[in-house]
Amino acid sequence: MIMPSRARSVATALVGTLALVLSACSAAAPAAPSASSAAAGSAAPAVSAAPPKVALTFYFPVAVPGPITKIIDGYIAKFEAANPGITVKPVLSGGYPDTLTKIQTTIKGGGTPPDVAVLLSTDLYSLVDSGAIAPLDDEVKAAGGDTYLADFYPAFLANSRYQGHIWSLPFQRSTPVLFYNKDMFAAAGIDATTGPANYQQMVDDARKLTKPGTTWGLEISSDGIPYWLFQPFAIGNGTNVFTAANKVTFDSPKVVQALQDFVDLPSKDKVMPSGILQWANMPNDFVNGKAAMIWHSSGSLASILAQAKFKVGVGYTVGRVGYGAPTGGGNMYVLKGIPADHKAAAWKFMQFMSSADIQADWSIHTGYIAARKSAYDTAAMKDYVAKTPQAAVAPNGLQYAKAELATHDNAQVQKALGDAVQAALTGKSTPAAALQAAQQQADKILSAFKD
Amino acid sequence: MRRHRQRPSRTSALPYALVLPTLAFVAAFTLWPSVRVVFDSLFTQNQAVQTPVFTGVGNYASLLHDAGFRQVIVNTLFYAGVTVPVSVVLALLLGLELDRPLRAVGLHRLAFFHPTILPMVSAATIWLFMYAPGYGLVNVFLGNFGVGSQNWLGDPQLALPALMVVGIWKQTGYFMLFYLAGLQGLPREVFDAAHIDGASRLQTLRYLTVPLLRGTTLFVTTIAVVDAFQTVDQIYIMTGGGPTNATSMLLFDVWQTLFSFLDIGRASAMSVILIVALLVFSIANFASVERRATDE
Amino acid sequence: MSSRRRPRSLLAWVGGIAFSAAGLAWAIPMIWTLAVSLHPADEPLSASNLWAGSHPTLDNYRQAFDIAPFARYYLNTILIVAGILCVQLVTITLAGYAFARYRFPFQNVLLFLILAQLMVPSSALIVPNYTTVRQLHLFDTLLAVMLPYFGSAFGVFLVRQTFKTVPRALDDAARVDGAGWIRTLWHVYLPPARPALIAFAISSISFHWNDFLWPLVVTNSEASRPLTVGLAVFTQLGEIGAQWPLVTAGTVIVVGPLLVLFLIFQRQFVDSFLHSGLK
């Protein structure tokens, strides 16, 4: 029954007043992050003689399922315990694109950006163009310069350098890898110790594994960000798809050949379903036995192992010549325009989060590749690799990895390449024509940026 | 005793004060932004050109020459052109059926109407799953008829129709209710007379029911068209505009151009085009209603 | 008469079957979603294992609550919807009363300006409105989600129409008794307008509960994020791939209460949708 009107209007008015009051309170809170947020993180009350705490705001996107916020909270608690003068307020800001947009538009709108954020390694040029981030040269020099950086995997640092500066530290990185069903390999008489060594071998293997109606030899998705799973074909063919922040090589002969290789898989070799496959469905197809091999993020290892009822092998993605892969994932950046003590505190936080122990723990729990080599020497990681040997494959593959596609106006340029890949895969256009169109489009976009 | 009865409020500020809050909000969030968006559309402002540079109709010209944008317009018109008639006709048929004494009327009404109350993003999530290759229910169902598993959201030919199904699924129940209400308001005598005169069911439908429901039809069609032009949620969740722009529609493109590509000038121009399209439709709709009303 | 009945009943019979089949088809997606949300996460979904799996479990719900703050999203959504509605009820009542009851210079111009909102949907104005929110430093607040909707042209129109039907005599009687405009409004005009206001309330609530694009644009964190954006963020956990039991559990968490409420208040919902005439 409907409530009597008077009671209903009173209730509405009460709820409304409450709403307005609460919304005013919550409106005040995020607009003034520093003071009130100290209560959120640390438990230590401010002692009268102690200097005022530096309160950092840390934006991080979530790209993997799991209790990520809990893990991050744990790291922050450890950091705050070791650094009593600093508190960190973590903000889960959506996905990578959302986080980037929010930060860039904050700065454009004259708002207060966070102090430190995890953003895609490829967002570098966009961030520099919009004046959003601060270089870390002085900080890195003070930490040991090149010696300090040497412990990071060079492939991961590739997207951190621009105009002679260092702009970010790798934090949650990945590469595409090739997952293969060892049981199916054995049944087809293929040596399952390692994955295929090059494109031709991959095709041969896939042909043996394809059983029309039940199993596809190979599945490589091309929705979402199609350029990422296309890059291995190019890198494995000896060339990357770009050479500088304002120069792409989409229509170079080797890249065209790489796209033809990709297109041949469903059309000529018939080892893959035709059309645009969805990233989200690949692990499911693999563990269901519908695909004997898939290309997917190194970070999918844990969930695949949890579901697969067969022996899972991890190999490298390949092109004609041999192994090749782009890197992926996010780096930590310090934002520009924050006070000097904030920058110093943020750098401390970055160093902590990219330290060997934290990186090892982060990698074990999320599946990202640890950003530095010494993380693989920690006891925790050694134990983990002993139990899950497949986890060692991706870091070893970093020697074959090159930079992920990153240019000015990144999103549009990536879309141009992605559209070309999709156009070729759907037969709308030949690889050469599609890539030429993409090259022209990218050139037009990039011509506005002088490097 | 005060005598206010005959005093008009011409000198009183009261009505203005009463209207002011609404006017202020509408001015701030509808009127001023409408002007602002037109203004911004005349400037180039993007990642390469951070301070706005006047370009007149430059953004519009660039959009017209862009094959991708033309595709977006085509997609939007195609989507509206299919979902609107299909939902409306289906809603009428369902309403007719529901109008008769049936068993389990409430259950049927629930089945058809419940998608309306769901947020579109949840409907899209459900259908994203329905369309999964292999085990998605759509493919499993069609498999019973010998149709092989299709890659609905990954095939440029099938993706937009797949989104159309979601739109129709969601809104038909809503329109059905309006037809139900309309049907229940129709005069019984007319139908009894037709029955006595020997009209067949089809004739009754065509010459009596449909014309009498014209007001309802106009109303739901208007809502359907305006909604179709604002399709975003399904695209965001299910396809991201792909494959190769096959499912990109106007409002989604506005959002992507501003928030992914940070091109304010271009996004403003697209917004203006959207506003103009809706205005043109509203005016044409209104004019045809007026004309019909005077004809009657 | 009987000869006319027979062919009709055959057609009606076929129509009835088709109708029930359609009803089933319409309901299946939600039913399937519910079933899969109980599917154990480590059992892969396949054509032969489509429903709740070998041992249905509530673990997915536990995990979903672990990953995303659905309770917070619920609170945000309720606050947003209630806040918008309360302010709307005040603004539309006042403005509707003014337009219905008074004559004043430029009233038609002002009415036209307000009704212009019906022509230009807020979704077409996200670009400039976003800039406005930024300039007001209200980004990522509940208030930012609510602000553009505080003025409702539809509401003003509805209230004005409703108030116009109130007989002048009642109004004059109140005046004679010495009532000022507030008392007149409260005692004479509002009571008969109750059904219209309830209809408006339901349409406002359902529109803003399900709004996605604008909150997507102006929220950034769980401080202000409502259910729709929360579900989208939850669904888009990118690097790994679709974990359908988890995603469907999240979906059920978001829509479950809505469906339950709808089941209970079906009649009222349906009636008000019919009266409201707009989403």
Side-chain angles (χ1 to χ4, degrees):
Chain A
M1 283 308 288
I2 302 181
M3 275 183 353
S5 72
R6 172 136 311 161
R8 183 180 276 253
S9 6
V10 168
T12 316
L14 276 176
V15 173
T17 318
L18 183 67
L20 285 174
V21 167
L22 278 171
S23 64
C25 290
S26 68
S34 11
S36 51
S37 70
S42 70
V47 176
S48 47
K53 287 192 189 228
V54 174
L56 297 177
T57 316
F58 167 48
Y59 277 17
F60 68 101
V62 169
V64 299
I68 300 299
T69 36
K70 286 213 179 81
I71 300 176
I72 297 276
D73 284 343
Y75 296 161
I76 289 178
K78 259 204 190 130
F79 174 74
E80 287 176 344
N83 294 273
I86 311 177
T87 61
V88 179
K89 176 176 164 209
V91 173
L92 168 54
S93 47
Y96 286 119
D98 287 330
T99 311
L100 175 65
T101 310
K102 306 295 158 90
I103 289 178
Q104 281 181 301
T105 46
T106 303
I107 294 180
K108 268 198 159 97
T112 320
D115 300 286
V116 60
V118 174
L119 295 160
L120 286 174
S121 62
T122 55
D123 287 334
L124 176 61
Y125 306 110
S126 296
L127 288 166
V128 174
D129 287 338
S130 46
I133 51 176
L136 299 166
D137 305 334
D138 297 332
E139 285 79 3
V140 168
K141 196 139 134 252
D146 283 337
T147 335
Y148 173 69
L149 292 176
D151 190 29
F152 289 93
Y153 285 104
F156 290 154
L157 278 177
N159 285 112
S160 295
R161 290 193 162 95
Y162 179 45
Q163 289 173 338
H165 301 293
I166 281 267
W167 297 91
S168 61
L169 284 185
F171 176 62
Q172 50 187 41
R173 303 299 297 270
S174 60
T175 59
V177 294
L178 185 152
F179 293 97
Y180 62 100
N181 188 326
K182 283 194 171 182
D183 293 357
M184 282 189 185
F185 265 51
I190 310 171
D191 178 8
T193 351
T194 61
N198 54 48
Y199 173 76
Q200 196 50 57
Q201 206 181 342
M202 185 177 74
V203 172
D204 294 338
D205 290 347
R207 281 219 190 92
K208 293 192 195 133
L209 295 157
T210 303
K211 298 187 187 356
T214 35
T215 313
W216 290 101
L218 177 62
E219 278 187 1
I220 302 174
S221 63
S222 42
D223 71 333
I225 46 170
Y227 74 87
W228 202 57
L229 290 184
F230 168 61
Q231 274 189 270
F233 288 101
I235 296 174
N237 198 21
T239 179
N240 206 342
V241 296
F242 73 114
T243 53
N246 64 349
K247 185 92 193 72
V248 300
T249 54
F250 295 164
D251 60 356
S252 71
K254 285 200 181 151
V255 175
V256 173
Q257 183 176 53
L259 187 53
Q260 186 66 56
D261 287 344
F262 195 177
V263 169
D264 283 345
L265 291 169
S267 59
K268 189 173 103 181
D269 304 305
K270 306 215 189 304
V271 296
M272 207 169 93
S274 58
I276 308 295
L277 305 178
Q278 269 100 44
W279 170 271
N281 290 322
M282 300 289 94
N284 233 302
D285 281 358
F286 181 65
V287 303
N288 271 335
K290 287 199 45 221
M293 294 188 274
I294 60 167
W295 285 15
H296 219 250
S297 169
S298 51
S300 309
L301 178 63
S303 71
I304 287 179
L305 285 176
Q307 292 192 29
K309 309 271 181 283
F310 49 82
K311 281 213 237 12
V312 175
V314 179
Y316 305 123
T317 51
V318 290
R320 265 182 192 260
V321 173
Y323 300 136
T327 59
N331 288 1
M332 281 180 88
Y333 297 81
V334 173
L335 281 294
K336 207 189 213 174
I338 60 177
D341 57 348
H342 278 237
K343 191 175 185 208
W347 172 244
K348 276 215 180 96
F349 182 58
M350 277 175 69
Q351 282 184 293
F352 173 77
M353 293 294 260
S354 52
S355 62
D357 287 320
I358 297 290
Q359 282 291 307
D361 189 76
W362 188 232
S363 169
I364 293 170
H365 284 104
T366 59
Y368 284 116
I369 304 177
R372 52 201 314 169
K373 305 174 194 151
S374 54
Y376 286 94
D377 293 330
T378 60
M381 184 58 96
K382 283 202 167 130
D383 278 343
Y384 180 65
V385 170
K387 280 188 278 209
T388 320
Q390 297 97 331
V393 175
N396 282 335
L398 286 174
Q399 53 185 304
Y400 310 112
K402 299 276 181 287
E404 187 181 353
L405 172 60
T407 62
H408 295 283
D409 210 345
N410 207 23
Q412 287 213 68
V413 171
Q414 286 176 342
K415 183 170 190 292
L417 181 55
D419 284 350
V421 170
Q422 288 187 336
L425 281 171
T426 54
K428 230 166 116 175
S429 152
T430 64
L435 286 170
Q436 255 153 38
Q439 178 76 37
Q440 274 167 7
Q441 208 187 341
D443 283 341
K444 190 159 147 238
I445 295 169
L446 294 172
S447 63
F449 298 92
K450 312 280 173 260
D451 264 331
Chain B
M1 190 163 62
R2 283 174 276 178
R3 292 195 166 266
H4 295 291
R5 198 182 320 164
Q6 251 118 48
R7 191 196 310 173
S9 323
R10 59 171 178 260
T11 53
S12 167
L14 180 62
Y16 295 103
L18 295 176
V19 171
L20 185 61
T22 302
L23 190 62
F25 284 117
V26 171
F29 291 99
T30 302
L31 301 173
W32 163 240
S34 302
V35 171
R36 176 85 194 250
V37 82
V38 173
F39 184 71
D40 282 343
S41 73
L42 303 173
F43 288 80
T44 306
Q45 188 181 9
N46 52 38
Q47 292 204 55
V49 180
Q50 303 261 348
T51 7
V53 167
F54 182 74
T55 175
V57 294
N59 285 320
Y60 295 97
S62 151
L63 284 172
L64 279 173
H65 286 123
D66 182 5
F69 185 69
R70 290 199 297 270
Q71 173 86 44
V72 165
I73 297 285
V74 166
N75 289 344
T76 311
L77 291 172
F78 184 39
Y79 181 90
V82 171
T83 57
V84 173
V86 171
S87 324
V88 170
V89 168
L90 209 52
L92 174 59
L93 293 176
L94 293 176
L96 283 169
E97 193 66 28
L98 212 59
D99 192 31
R100 301 160 70 243
L102 277 179
R103 279 191 300 220
V105 162
L107 212 57
H108 280 96
R109 190 177 56 196
L110 177 65
F112 290 117
F113 188 67
H114 81 275
T116 307
I117 63 161
L118 305 176
M120 193 37 150
V121 289
S122 63
T125 306
I126 293 172
W127 279 90
L128 180 62
F129 182 34
M130 293 277 289
Y131 282 126
Y135 53 80
L137 267 194
V138 175
N139 281 316
V140 170
F141 176 70
L142 290 177
N144 288 326
F145 298 96
V147 178
S149 172
Q150 299 292 323
N151 184 3
W152 295 97
L153 299 176
D155 186 331
Q157 313 278 48
L158 297 176
L160 193 57
L163 292 194
M164 291 178 190
V165 168
V166 182
I168 293 170
W169 178 76
K170 186 152 191 322
Q171 68 186 8
T172 300
Y174 182 57
F175 300 152
M176 176 190 80
L177 275 192
F178 284 107
Y179 274 122
L180 250 186
L183 283 168
Q184 282 164 1
L186 293 183
R188 273 261 69 106
E189 316 83 59
V190 180
F191 289 93
D192 291 341
H195 186 81
I196 291 172
D197 284 347
S200 76
R201 231 170 107 86
L202 205 58
Q203 284 171 323
T204 315
L205 183 65
R206 186 162 163 219
Y207 295 111
L208 263 188
T209 321
V210 171
L212 282 173
L213 287 173
R214 185 165 41 220
T216 311
T217 303
L218 198 59
F219 179 70
V220 299
T221 307
T222 309
I223 298 182
V225 170
V226 172
D227 278 354
F229 269 76
Q230 297 179 63
T231 307
V232 152
D233 304 21
Q234 303 102 298
I235 306 174
Y236 183 90
I237 297 283
M238 296 172 84
T239 60
T244 57
N245 291 324
T247 57
S248 185
M249 289 171 60
L250 196 45
L251 187 55
F252 177 79
D253 205 2
V254 168
W255 173 81
Q256 188 177 52
T257 305
L258 178 64
F259 290 97
S260 277
F261 305 152
L262 299 173
D263 193 334
I264 297 178
R266 195 179 166 92
S268 300
M270 286 183 191
S271 302
V272 171
I273 292 177
L274 176 61
I275 293 171
V276 167
L278 286 173
L279 268 173
V280 166
F281 173 74
S282 302
I283 293 173
N285 215 21
F286 184 68
S288 87
V289 169
E290 282 298 283
R291 199 171 331 124
R292 292 267 172 94
T294 52
D295 282 351
E296 274 159 23
Chain C
M1 241 176 17
S2 53
S3 59
R4 234 189 339 260
R5 281 257 166 103
R6 232 175 287 123
R8 203 175 9 156
S9 68
L10 177 66
L11 188 63
W13 190 78
V14 170
I17 298 276
F19 182 64
S20 291
L24 188 65
W26 240 260
I28 278 276
M30 195 67 236
I31 296 175
W32 192 42
T33 301
L34 269 159
V36 173
S37 70
L38 301 171
H39 192 111
D42 55 4
E43 235 178 75
L45 273 165
S46 68
S48 52
N49 188 359
L50 267 186
W51 300 88
S54 56
H55 47 281
T57 167
L58 289 176
D59 275 344
N60 299 313
Y61 288 93
R62 256 189 285 276
Q63 216 197 343
F65 273 109
D66 241 359
I67 294 176
F70 284 107
R72 183 66 204 251
Y73 293 153
Y74 261 101
L75 180 65
N76 289 340
T77 310
I78 291 171
L79 290 177
I80 288 169
V81 162
I84 290 176
L85 180 63
C86 285
V87 176
Q88 277 182 335
L89 286 175
V90 170
T91 60
I92 66 176
T93 307
L94 295 180
Y97 180 61
F99 284 118
R101 173 73 183 74
Y102 292 91
R103 301 181 107 85
F104 47 101
F106 300 117
Q107 78 181 85
N108 284 327
V109 173
L110 292 178
L111 183 60
F112 177 74
L113 284 178
I114 289 175
L115 291 184
Q117 193 195 58
L118 296 173
M119 298 280 116
V120 184
S122 59
S123 59
L125 298 172
I126 55 173
V127 178
N129 280 335
Y130 175 73
T131 313
T132 305
V133 163
R134 279 287 185 196
Q135 284 166 344
L136 292 173
H137 297 290
L138 286 177
F139 180 68
D140 201 22
T141 61
L142 292 174
L143 191 57
V145 182
M146 298 193 257
L147 265 180
Y149 301 111
F150 281 159
S152 166
F154 170 60
V156 169
F157 180 71
L158 194 66
V159 170
R160 173 178 175 266
Q161 296 301 97
T162 311
F163 281 2
K164 274 187 160 210
T165 65
V166 173
R168 249 313 149 108
L170 289 178
D171 190 329
D172 293 339
R175 294 239 143 193
V176 161
D177 289 343
W181 67 270
I182 298 183
R183 303 255 322 264
T184 314
L185 177 58
W186 187 265
H187 290 284
V188 174
Y189 284 89
L190 274 180
R194 193 185 358 138
L197 286 177
I198 291 175
F200 174 77
I202 295 189
S203 88
S204 169
I205 290 173
S206 50
F207 177 81
H208 293 110
W209 189 279
N210 295 341
D211 198 10
F212 175 65
L213 187 63
W214 175 246
L216 175 71
V217 157
V218 293
T219 64
N220 189 40
S221 72
E222 61 180 74
S224 64
R225 191 179 290 145
L227 283 166
T228 46
V229 183
L231 182 62
V233 166
F234 181 74
T235 314
Q236 307 244 304
L237 299 175
E239 292 232 20
I240 294 301
Q243 311 210 316
W244 291 119
L246 189 57
V247 170
T248 49
T251 306
V252 173
I253 291 173
V254 168
V255 306
L258 283 175
L259 284 174
V260 167
L261 272 175
F262 177 63
L263 278 171
I264 300 175
F265 294 107
Q266 232 193 103
R267 173 118 288 151
Q268 290 89 323
F269 251 102
V270 165
D271 285 345
S272 80
F273 264 109
L274 292 181
H275 286 119
S276 74
L278 240 189
K279 248 207 275 203

